[in-house]
Amino acid sequence: MRETFGLMTGLAPNDTEWDQAARGLAHAGLALRQTALHAPAAYMASLGASADLARALNVHFSTDAAHMAQALAAFNGLVPEPRQLSPEAALTATQHDLSAAVDQAGHQERLAAACMEDQATLQSECEPGARALWEAVPNRALGIAMEPAEFVCEIRQRL
């Protein structure tokens, strides 16, 4: 994904910028999810959402598998202690909420390591309305489409 992003935009993000791009829009990212980072959240949310149906098909189905423990340990290793979950809480959470917790933890780490100017920029990108540009569907007829060079400039600024 990183290589394709570079080919499409002409940008070569460093590791910090790429981590930023992988965060959700609410955390000043571009929502280019890193599957390895969000896999534990996806697994636990899927397991929790399908558990009742799985039990209806197989009365011996259990969510107490080693895979669940691995996913939970991986997730809890990504978020600060107050955001860590019990197995029960993880199985009732949505992937959106779990991924948001991962994004929030990464965002806080980036803020802590950033200079004051970068902190201000990151925080401004998280303000209400700041992601409207990224959520809008381009439409030339309505005058809400950018030229590719303008779009790349916006990406560069966001990262």
Side-chain angles (χ1 to χ4, degrees), residues 16-31:
T16 301
E17 292 166 339
W18 184 246
D19 286 345
Q20 184 67 35
R23 286 194 197 88
L25 297 175
H27 294 98
L30 297 174

Side-chain angles (χ1 to χ4, degrees), residues 124-144:
S124 72
E125 291 289 337
C126 295
E127 290 296 316
R131 63 180 173 243
L133 168 76
W134 306 103
E135 294 172 332
V137 177
N139 185 321
R140 291 202 187 280
L142 296 176
I144 55 171

Side-chain angles (χ1 to χ4, degrees), residues 6 14 30 32 34 43 45-47 58 64 69 73 79 90 95 118 120 138 150 156:
N14 62 33
L30 297 174
L32 301 174
Q34 294 180 15
Y43 177 78
S46 177
L47 184 63
N58 178 355
D64 293 332
V79 298
Q95 183 177 350
D118 289 346
E150 291 174 296
R156 187 178 290 123

Side-chain angles (χ1 to χ4, degrees), residues 50-64:
S50 63
D52 289 342
L53 292 172
R55 279 189 205 94
L57 294 171
N58 178 355
V59 294
H60 301 293
F61 176 80
S62 172
T63 58
D64 293 332

